[in-house]
Amino acid sequence: MSAQHTQEQLLAEIKELRLQLEEANDTIEAVKAGTVDAFVVKGQEGHQLYALKTADQTFRVLIEKMGEGAATLNKGGVILYCNSRFAKMVDLPLHQVMGKRFDQFINRYNDAKLNDITISGEVSDYKTEETLISSDLSSMPVLMSITNLNLEDGTAFSILLTDLTAQKIAQQALRDKNEELEEARNKALQVNDALEDTVEERTKDLSVSREHFMLLANNIPQITWTNLPSGQFNFFNERWFDYTGLSFDATFEESWDNIIHPEDLPATREKFIRCMQTGEVFEIENRYKRNDGTYRWHLNRSIPLKQESGEILFWVGTATDIDDQRKSIEKKDEFIGIASHELKTPLTSLKAYLQLISNYRKEPVPDQIKTFIVKAESSISRLQILVNDLLDVSKIQAGKLYFNCYPLSVTELISVCAENASYMFPDYNIIFKPGPDVNISGNTERLEQVMMNLINNAVKYSPLHKDIVLSFVKEGTQVRISVTDYGIGLSSSQKDKIFQRFYRVDDKDFMVSGLGMGLYISMEIIKNHQGTIGVQSRINKGSTFYILLPLLS
C-alpha cells in the first residue's frame, strides 16, 4: 500500500509541475507578446509584484502607430526589437527582422561602427542620412537618428528611420526647376544683352532721326507743330517762335488763345476739338498774330499718324502763310465784281438795241441780218450768265449773297425747271418723276438757278446718252432732289474737287465751256438754304447730283 501511495503522490506532483510549467510558459509568451505589463510571484516573504520595465502598453502602441521605422539594437548591432513600419521598410515579416544584424539593412553599421559612435559622445543626438537596403535589394533614402538606451543588461541603441523618398524627389524636382530657371535666366540674359544692343542701336537711329527731323522742321518756311491724341501740344519748330516772338514756356502757357485772331478763335477751337475726337484731318484758315502785332492769314493742316491697329499716336500739323495769296484773291474778286457791274449795263443796252433792230418796222430787216441778230442775242445771253455768275461769286466772297425765302412747292419748282430745260435742250429727254408733293422754305429764283445749273452740267457731260432724270423723295425731315445723267461720270479725285471755285471737269475726249463756278455758286446757295449738296458717280456710268433741303414743319 505504501508503494502504491508513493506512486500516486509522484503522479500528482508531476501533474502539478506540468501545470506550473504551462503557466510559466504562458506568462513568458504573454511577456514576449507584450500583453502583460507586470506579474505576481509568491516567494518566501510572500507575494511580490514584478513590473516589466519595457512593457509600457501606451508607449508600445505609439511606437507601432508612428510613421517612422523604429528599432532597438544591442551593442553588437543585433536587432532586439522593431516596429511594423521598420519591417515594412525592409520588406520582411516582423518576426524575421528581430535577431538580424542591423548592417544587413544599412551598410557599415556593425558593432565596431556603433562602438565608435558611442565613444565619440555623439550618440545622444546622432543624425545622418543613409540608404536603407530592403530584402529585394531596392534602396530607400532615410534620415537615421541614434540614441542610447540604458538597460539593466547594458547599453543599447534606439534607432528611428524617416523615409526621405518624397523629400528627395521634391529636392530633385527643385534642382531640376532650378536648373531650368538658371537656363532660362541665362537665355534671358542673352536676350537682354541682344535687346540692349538693339535698343542702343535703335536709340542711335532715333537720335539721328530726331536730329534730321529737327533740322528739317526748323528750316522749312511753314510753322510746324505736333500734338498728342488728347490735343496737348508737345512741339513747335523755330519758325513758330520767330513768328510769334514767344518763348517755349509762354507758348505752352498761352497756346492759341492770344495768337489767333479773336474772330477766328471759336471756329478754330471747335474744329480742332472735333478732329481730335473723330480723327478727321484738321484743316482751317485763320489769322495768327505776328511778333509786331500784325495778323496774317495761315492755312492750317494737321494729319494723324496711326499704328497698324488704327490707334492715333500723335498729330503733325503745319501752318502756311497765305496772307499774300488771300490779298491777291481779294483784289481779283474786287476786280471781278467791278468789271461784272461795269459789263452788266452795256450788255443790257446792247441786248435792247438788238431787240429794237430785230423789231424795226419802218424798213424790213433782211433775213441774213436777222440771223446775225439771233446769234448775237444768244452770245449776249451766255455772256450775261457769265457776268451774273461772276457777280454771285463776288457776293459770296464778300458774304453778301442775300435773298428772301418763302414757302414753295417742290413739285412746282422742278416742273418749271423741267419745262424750261426741254425748250433749252430739245435733243435731250428731260424726264421728271414726281413724288408726293412737299413744301420747303426757299427762294424760287435761286433754287431754279441751282437746278438749271445741274441740268446744264448733266447735258454737257452726257454727249451720247440723252436721258436726264429729275426726281425728289422725302427722307425724314428733308427732301432729296436728284438730277441723274448717264454720261462720262466722275473719278474719286474729281468728286472731291467738283464744288471748288473755278474747277472744271475736262475729259481727254472733249472739252466743255464755262468758268467752273456753277457748282461752287450752287453749293453756297444751298448752304444759305440750310441744306447740303453732293454727288454720287462712277466713271462711264453717269452721275447723280442731289440736294437735301429741310421740309417745312
Side-chain angles (χ1 to χ4, degrees), residues 476-523:
T477 59
Q478 294 179 310
V479 60
R480 176 187 286 263
I481 303 172
S482 302
V483 177
T484 302
D485 65 71
Y486 303 94
I488 63 174
L490 298 169
S491 65
S492 297
S493 61
Q494 289 172 334
K495 286 191 290 185
D496 294 336
K497 302 174 183 177
I498 193 70
F499 295 102
Q500 295 179 5
R501 187 169 50 153
F502 303 124
Y503 180 80
R504 294 191 313 166
V505 176
D506 288 329
D507 188 83
K508 62 182 180 179
D509 296 329
F510 67 98
M511 299 290 291
V512 295
S513 61
L515 296 178
M517 294 184 297
L519 288 177
Y520 171 73
I521 295 171
S522 299
M523 180 179 68

Short mmCIF file of all heavy atoms in Angstrom, two decimals, residues 476-523:
data_model
loop_
_atom_site.label_atom_id
_atom_site.label_comp_id
_atom_site.label_asym_id
_atom_site.label_seq_id
_atom_site.Cartn_x
_atom_site.Cartn_y
_atom_site.Cartn_z
N GLY A 476 -37.21 111.52 -94.11
CA GLY A 476 -37.33 112.05 -92.75
C GLY A 476 -37.84 113.47 -92.76
O GLY A 476 -38.93 113.77 -93.27
N THR A 477 -37.03 114.38 -92.22
CA THR A 477 -37.40 115.79 -92.16
C THR A 477 -36.83 116.58 -93.33
O THR A 477 -36.82 117.82 -93.30
CB THR A 477 -36.92 116.41 -90.84
OG1 THR A 477 -35.49 116.28 -90.76
CG2 THR A 477 -37.56 115.72 -89.66
N GLN A 478 -36.33 115.87 -94.35
CA GLN A 478 -35.72 116.52 -95.50
C GLN A 478 -36.32 115.98 -96.80
O GLN A 478 -36.97 114.93 -96.82
CB GLN A 478 -34.20 116.29 -95.52
CG GLN A 478 -33.44 116.94 -94.36
CD GLN A 478 -31.96 116.64 -94.44
OE1 GLN A 478 -31.55 115.49 -94.59
NE2 GLN A 478 -31.15 117.69 -94.34
N VAL A 479 -36.06 116.72 -97.88
CA VAL A 479 -36.41 116.25 -99.20
C VAL A 479 -35.13 116.13 -100.01
O VAL A 479 -34.26 117.01 -99.94
CB VAL A 479 -37.42 117.19 -99.90
CG1 VAL A 479 -36.84 118.59 -100.06
CG2 VAL A 479 -37.82 116.63 -101.26
N ARG A 480 -35.00 115.04 -100.74
CA ARG A 480 -33.83 114.82 -101.60
C ARG A 480 -34.26 115.05 -103.06
O ARG A 480 -35.09 114.32 -103.60
CB ARG A 480 -33.28 113.41 -101.45
CG ARG A 480 -32.12 113.09 -102.40
CD ARG A 480 -31.74 111.63 -102.30
NE ARG A 480 -31.04 111.35 -101.06
CZ ARG A 480 -29.72 111.28 -100.93
NH1 ARG A 480 -28.94 111.48 -102.00
NH2 ARG A 480 -29.17 111.00 -99.77
N ILE A 481 -33.67 116.08 -103.66
CA ILE A 481 -33.92 116.39 -105.07
C ILE A 481 -32.72 115.91 -105.87
O ILE A 481 -31.58 116.26 -105.55
CB ILE A 481 -34.13 117.90 -105.27
CG1 ILE A 481 -35.28 118.41 -104.40
CG2 ILE A 481 -34.38 118.22 -106.73
CD1 ILE A 481 -35.43 119.91 -104.39
N SER A 482 -32.95 115.11 -106.93
CA SER A 482 -31.86 114.49 -107.67
C SER A 482 -31.94 114.82 -109.16
O SER A 482 -33.03 114.91 -109.73
CB SER A 482 -31.88 112.96 -107.49
OG SER A 482 -31.79 112.61 -106.14
N VAL A 483 -30.74 114.98 -109.76
CA VAL A 483 -30.60 115.13 -111.21
C VAL A 483 -29.63 114.05 -111.67
O VAL A 483 -28.45 114.08 -111.30
CB VAL A 483 -30.09 116.53 -111.60
CG1 VAL A 483 -29.89 116.61 -113.11
CG2 VAL A 483 -31.05 117.60 -111.11
N THR A 484 -30.12 113.10 -112.48
CA THR A 484 -29.32 111.94 -112.87
C THR A 484 -29.05 111.95 -114.36
O THR A 484 -29.97 112.17 -115.17
CB THR A 484 -30.04 110.63 -112.49
OG1 THR A 484 -30.28 110.62 -111.08
CG2 THR A 484 -29.20 109.42 -112.87
N ASP A 485 -27.78 111.71 -114.72
CA ASP A 485 -27.43 111.55 -116.14
C ASP A 485 -26.70 110.22 -116.31
O ASP A 485 -26.34 109.57 -115.32
CB ASP A 485 -26.57 112.72 -116.62
CG ASP A 485 -25.22 112.77 -115.93
OD1 ASP A 485 -24.36 111.90 -116.21
OD2 ASP A 485 -24.99 113.69 -115.11
N TYR A 486 -26.44 109.85 -117.55
CA TYR A 486 -25.76 108.59 -117.86
C TYR A 486 -24.54 108.86 -118.74
O TYR A 486 -24.27 108.14 -119.70
CB TYR A 486 -26.73 107.63 -118.55
CG TYR A 486 -27.96 107.37 -117.71
CD1 TYR A 486 -29.12 108.14 -117.90
CD2 TYR A 486 -27.96 106.42 -116.71
CE1 TYR A 486 -30.24 107.93 -117.12
CE2 TYR A 486 -29.09 106.21 -115.92
CZ TYR A 486 -30.22 106.97 -116.13
OH TYR A 486 -31.33 106.77 -115.34
N GLY A 487 -23.81 109.91 -118.34
CA GLY A 487 -22.69 110.37 -119.13
C GLY A 487 -21.36 109.80 -118.68
O GLY A 487 -21.25 108.64 -118.27
N ILE A 488 -20.31 110.65 -118.76
CA ILE A 488 -18.93 110.18 -118.56
C ILE A 488 -18.61 109.89 -117.11
O ILE A 488 -17.65 109.18 -116.80
CB ILE A 488 -17.93 111.20 -119.12
CG1 ILE A 488 -18.04 112.53 -118.35
CG2 ILE A 488 -18.15 111.43 -120.60
CD1 ILE A 488 -16.98 113.54 -118.74
N GLY A 489 -19.37 110.43 -116.16
CA GLY A 489 -19.14 110.15 -114.75
C GLY A 489 -17.93 110.89 -114.20
O GLY A 489 -17.24 111.65 -114.89
N LEU A 490 -17.66 110.63 -112.92
CA LEU A 490 -16.58 111.31 -112.20
C LEU A 490 -15.71 110.30 -111.48
O LEU A 490 -16.20 109.28 -110.98
CB LEU A 490 -17.15 112.29 -111.17
CG LEU A 490 -18.00 113.45 -111.71
CD1 LEU A 490 -18.70 114.15 -110.56
CD2 LEU A 490 -17.15 114.43 -112.49
N SER A 491 -14.40 110.59 -111.40
CA SER A 491 -13.50 109.78 -110.59
C SER A 491 -13.56 110.25 -109.14
O SER A 491 -14.15 111.29 -108.83
CB SER A 491 -12.06 109.90 -111.11
OG SER A 491 -11.58 111.23 -110.94
N SER A 492 -12.91 109.48 -108.25
CA SER A 492 -12.93 109.85 -106.82
C SER A 492 -12.27 111.19 -106.59
O SER A 492 -12.76 112.02 -105.82
CB SER A 492 -12.22 108.75 -106.00
OG SER A 492 -12.90 107.53 -106.10
N SER A 493 -11.15 111.43 -107.26
CA SER A 493 -10.45 112.71 -107.07
C SER A 493 -11.27 113.87 -107.62
O SER A 493 -11.28 114.96 -107.05
CB SER A 493 -9.08 112.66 -107.77
OG SER A 493 -9.23 112.44 -109.17
N GLN A 494 -12.00 113.64 -108.71
CA GLN A 494 -12.84 114.70 -109.27
C GLN A 494 -14.02 115.01 -108.35
O GLN A 494 -14.41 116.17 -108.20
CB GLN A 494 -13.34 114.28 -110.65
CG GLN A 494 -12.26 114.26 -111.72
CD GLN A 494 -12.73 113.65 -113.03
OE1 GLN A 494 -13.65 112.83 -113.05
NE2 GLN A 494 -12.10 114.04 -114.13
N LYS A 495 -14.57 113.99 -107.73
CA LYS A 495 -15.70 114.22 -106.81
C LYS A 495 -15.28 115.07 -105.62
O LYS A 495 -16.09 115.84 -105.08
CB LYS A 495 -16.27 112.88 -106.33
CG LYS A 495 -17.08 112.15 -107.38
CD LYS A 495 -17.84 110.99 -106.81
CE LYS A 495 -16.92 109.85 -106.40
NZ LYS A 495 -17.68 108.66 -105.95
N ASP A 496 -14.01 114.95 -105.20
CA ASP A 496 -13.53 115.74 -104.07
C ASP A 496 -13.34 117.21 -104.42
O ASP A 496 -13.32 118.06 -103.54
CB ASP A 496 -12.20 115.17 -103.56
CG ASP A 496 -12.36 113.78 -102.95
OD1 ASP A 496 -13.48 113.46 -102.52
OD2 ASP A 496 -11.37 113.01 -102.91
N LYS A 497 -13.19 117.51 -105.73
CA LYS A 497 -12.88 118.89 -106.16
C LYS A 497 -14.03 119.57 -106.90
O LYS A 497 -13.94 120.76 -107.21
CB LYS A 497 -11.65 118.88 -107.07
CG LYS A 497 -10.40 118.27 -106.45
CD LYS A 497 -9.28 118.17 -107.47
CE LYS A 497 -8.04 117.50 -106.88
NZ LYS A 497 -6.98 117.35 -107.90
N ILE A 498 -15.07 118.85 -107.19
CA ILE A 498 -16.09 119.32 -108.12
C ILE A 498 -16.77 120.61 -107.66
O ILE A 498 -17.21 121.43 -108.48
CB ILE A 498 -17.15 118.21 -108.35
CG1 ILE A 498 -18.05 118.55 -109.55
CG2 ILE A 498 -17.97 118.00 -107.10
CD1 ILE A 498 -17.32 118.47 -110.85
N PHE A 499 -16.84 120.86 -106.33
CA PHE A 499 -17.53 122.04 -105.83
C PHE A 499 -16.58 123.19 -105.51
O PHE A 499 -16.99 124.18 -104.90
CB PHE A 499 -18.35 121.68 -104.58
CG PHE A 499 -19.46 120.71 -104.86
CD1 PHE A 499 -19.33 119.37 -104.54
CD2 PHE A 499 -20.63 121.14 -105.47
CE1 PHE A 499 -20.36 118.48 -104.81
CE2 PHE A 499 -21.67 120.25 -105.74
CZ PHE A 499 -21.53 118.91 -105.42
N GLN A 500 -15.30 123.04 -105.91
CA GLN A 500 -14.35 124.12 -105.69
C GLN A 500 -14.53 125.21 -106.75
O GLN A 500 -14.94 124.94 -107.88
CB GLN A 500 -12.91 123.60 -105.72
CG GLN A 500 -12.58 122.65 -104.59
CD GLN A 500 -11.15 122.13 -104.67
OE1 GLN A 500 -10.38 122.57 -105.53
NE2 GLN A 500 -10.80 121.22 -103.78
N ARG A 501 -14.18 126.43 -106.40
CA ARG A 501 -14.31 127.55 -107.32
C ARG A 501 -13.33 127.41 -108.49
O ARG A 501 -12.17 127.07 -108.28
CB ARG A 501 -14.05 128.85 -106.56
CG ARG A 501 -14.32 130.10 -107.37
CD ARG A 501 -14.31 131.34 -106.52
NE ARG A 501 -13.14 131.44 -105.66
CZ ARG A 501 -12.65 132.61 -105.23
NH1 ARG A 501 -13.23 133.74 -105.59
NH2 ARG A 501 -11.61 132.63 -104.44
N PHE A 502 -13.80 127.67 -109.70
CA PHE A 502 -13.03 127.65 -110.94
C PHE A 502 -12.56 126.24 -111.34
O PHE A 502 -11.70 126.10 -112.20
CB PHE A 502 -11.81 128.57 -110.88
CG PHE A 502 -12.16 130.00 -110.55
CD1 PHE A 502 -11.59 130.65 -109.47
CD2 PHE A 502 -13.07 130.70 -111.33
CE1 PHE A 502 -11.92 131.96 -109.17
CE2 PHE A 502 -13.39 132.02 -111.05
CZ PHE A 502 -12.82 132.64 -109.95
N TYR A 503 -13.11 125.18 -110.68
CA TYR A 503 -12.71 123.82 -111.07
C TYR A 503 -13.64 123.32 -112.17
O TYR A 503 -14.87 123.41 -112.06
CB TYR A 503 -12.75 122.86 -109.88
CG TYR A 503 -12.35 121.45 -110.26
CD1 TYR A 503 -11.01 121.11 -110.38
CD2 TYR A 503 -13.31 120.47 -110.53
CE1 TYR A 503 -10.63 119.82 -110.74
CE2 TYR A 503 -12.94 119.19 -110.89
CZ TYR A 503 -11.60 118.87 -111.00
OH TYR A 503 -11.23 117.61 -111.37
N ARG A 504 -13.03 122.79 -113.24
CA ARG A 504 -13.81 122.22 -114.35
C ARG A 504 -13.37 120.78 -114.59
O ARG A 504 -12.18 120.47 -114.50
CB ARG A 504 -13.60 123.02 -115.64
CG ARG A 504 -14.13 124.43 -115.58
CD ARG A 504 -14.13 125.05 -116.97
NE ARG A 504 -12.89 124.86 -117.69
CZ ARG A 504 -12.73 125.07 -118.99
NH1 ARG A 504 -13.77 125.46 -119.72
NH2 ARG A 504 -11.56 124.90 -119.57
N VAL A 505 -14.35 119.92 -114.91
CA VAL A 505 -14.06 118.53 -115.26
C VAL A 505 -13.79 118.48 -116.75
O VAL A 505 -14.70 118.74 -117.56
CB VAL A 505 -15.22 117.59 -114.89
CG1 VAL A 505 -14.91 116.17 -115.36
CG2 VAL A 505 -15.46 117.62 -113.39
N ASP A 506 -12.56 118.19 -117.15
CA ASP A 506 -12.19 118.09 -118.57
C ASP A 506 -11.86 116.65 -118.90
O ASP A 506 -10.98 116.05 -118.27
CB ASP A 506 -10.98 118.98 -118.88
CG ASP A 506 -11.36 120.46 -118.84
OD1 ASP A 506 -12.51 120.77 -119.16
OD2 ASP A 506 -10.49 121.27 -118.47
N ASP A 507 -12.57 116.09 -119.82
CA ASP A 507 -12.29 114.73 -120.29
C ASP A 507 -11.32 114.81 -121.46
O ASP A 507 -11.34 115.77 -122.25
CB ASP A 507 -13.59 114.04 -120.71
CG ASP A 507 -13.37 112.58 -121.02
OD1 ASP A 507 -13.36 111.78 -120.07
OD2 ASP A 507 -13.20 112.25 -122.20
N LYS A 508 -10.47 113.83 -121.60
CA LYS A 508 -9.47 113.85 -122.67
C LYS A 508 -10.11 113.79 -124.06
O LYS A 508 -9.50 114.19 -125.05
CB LYS A 508 -8.50 112.69 -122.51
CG LYS A 508 -9.16 111.32 -122.60
CD LYS A 508 -8.15 110.20 -122.37
CE LYS A 508 -8.82 108.83 -122.46
NZ LYS A 508 -7.85 107.73 -122.26
N ASP A 509 -11.35 113.30 -124.12
CA ASP A 509 -12.00 113.16 -125.44
C ASP A 509 -12.73 114.42 -125.88
O ASP A 509 -13.01 114.59 -127.06
CB ASP A 509 -12.99 111.98 -125.40
CG ASP A 509 -12.26 110.66 -125.17
OD1 ASP A 509 -11.11 110.54 -125.61
OD2 ASP A 509 -12.87 109.77 -124.55
N PHE A 510 -13.10 115.29 -124.94
CA PHE A 510 -13.77 116.51 -125.36
C PHE A 510 -13.60 117.57 -124.28
O PHE A 510 -13.32 117.29 -123.13
CB PHE A 510 -15.27 116.26 -125.62
CG PHE A 510 -16.04 115.90 -124.39
CD1 PHE A 510 -16.78 116.88 -123.73
CD2 PHE A 510 -16.05 114.62 -123.89
CE1 PHE A 510 -17.51 116.55 -122.59
CE2 PHE A 510 -16.76 114.30 -122.76
CZ PHE A 510 -17.49 115.26 -122.13
N MET A 511 -13.75 118.82 -124.69
CA MET A 511 -13.64 119.96 -123.79
C MET A 511 -15.02 120.61 -123.67
O MET A 511 -15.84 120.57 -124.59
CB MET A 511 -12.64 120.98 -124.34
CG MET A 511 -11.22 120.44 -124.49
SD MET A 511 -10.42 120.14 -122.90
CE MET A 511 -10.21 121.82 -122.33
N VAL A 512 -15.25 121.24 -122.51
CA VAL A 512 -16.52 121.93 -122.29
C VAL A 512 -16.24 123.38 -121.94
O VAL A 512 -15.16 123.72 -121.46
CB VAL A 512 -17.32 121.26 -121.15
CG1 VAL A 512 -17.72 119.86 -121.55
CG2 VAL A 512 -16.52 121.24 -119.86
N SER A 513 -17.22 124.22 -122.20
CA SER A 513 -17.07 125.64 -121.93
C SER A 513 -17.48 125.94 -120.49
O SER A 513 -18.09 125.12 -119.81
CB SER A 513 -17.94 126.45 -122.90
OG SER A 513 -19.30 126.08 -122.72
N GLY A 514 -17.15 127.15 -120.04
CA GLY A 514 -17.53 127.58 -118.70
C GLY A 514 -16.32 127.93 -117.87
O GLY A 514 -15.18 127.57 -118.18
N LEU A 515 -16.61 128.69 -116.78
CA LEU A 515 -15.53 129.12 -115.89
C LEU A 515 -15.36 128.20 -114.68
O LEU A 515 -14.47 128.42 -113.87
CB LEU A 515 -15.82 130.55 -115.39
CG LEU A 515 -15.83 131.63 -116.49
CD1 LEU A 515 -16.17 132.98 -115.87
CD2 LEU A 515 -14.48 131.68 -117.19
N GLY A 516 -16.22 127.20 -114.52
CA GLY A 516 -16.11 126.30 -113.37
C GLY A 516 -16.61 126.93 -112.09
O GLY A 516 -16.09 126.64 -111.01
N MET A 517 -17.63 127.80 -112.18
CA MET A 517 -18.16 128.46 -110.98
C MET A 517 -19.58 128.02 -110.64
O MET A 517 -20.08 128.32 -109.56
CB MET A 517 -18.14 129.98 -111.18
CG MET A 517 -16.75 130.56 -111.28
SD MET A 517 -16.78 132.36 -111.39
CE MET A 517 -17.65 132.59 -112.94
N GLY A 518 -20.25 127.32 -111.55
CA GLY A 518 -21.66 126.98 -111.35
C GLY A 518 -21.91 126.16 -110.10
O GLY A 518 -22.79 126.48 -109.30
N LEU A 519 -21.15 125.08 -109.92
CA LEU A 519 -21.36 124.21 -108.75
C LEU A 519 -20.94 124.91 -107.46
O LEU A 519 -21.52 124.67 -106.40
CB LEU A 519 -20.61 122.89 -108.93
CG LEU A 519 -21.19 121.94 -109.97
CD1 LEU A 519 -20.32 120.70 -110.12
CD2 LEU A 519 -22.62 121.53 -109.62
N TYR A 520 -19.91 125.74 -107.54
CA TYR A 520 -19.47 126.50 -106.36
C TYR A 520 -20.59 127.44 -105.92
O TYR A 520 -20.92 127.50 -104.72
CB TYR A 520 -18.21 127.29 -106.70
CG TYR A 520 -17.80 128.27 -105.63
CD1 TYR A 520 -17.25 127.84 -104.43
CD2 TYR A 520 -17.97 129.64 -105.82
CE1 TYR A 520 -16.88 128.74 -103.45
CE2 TYR A 520 -17.60 130.55 -104.85
CZ TYR A 520 -17.06 130.10 -103.66
OH TYR A 520 -16.69 131.00 -102.69
N ILE A 521 -21.19 128.17 -106.88
CA ILE A 521 -22.29 129.07 -106.55
C ILE A 521 -23.49 128.27 -106.04
O ILE A 521 -24.14 128.65 -105.05
CB ILE A 521 -22.68 129.90 -107.78
CG1 ILE A 521 -21.50 130.83 -108.17
CG2 ILE A 521 -23.93 130.73 -107.52
CD1 ILE A 521 -21.70 131.53 -109.51
N SER A 522 -23.77 127.15 -106.69
CA SER A 522 -24.91 126.30 -106.25
C SER A 522 -24.72 125.83 -104.81
O SER A 522 -25.68 125.83 -104.02
CB SER A 522 -25.05 125.09 -107.19
OG SER A 522 -25.32 125.50 -108.52
N MET A 523 -23.51 125.42 -104.48
CA MET A 523 -23.23 124.95 -103.11
C MET A 523 -23.50 126.06 -102.10
O MET A 523 -24.11 125.83 -101.04
CB MET A 523 -21.79 124.46 -103.00
CG MET A 523 -21.42 123.95 -101.61
SD MET A 523 -19.71 123.37 -101.52
CE MET A 523 -18.84 124.95 -101.73
#
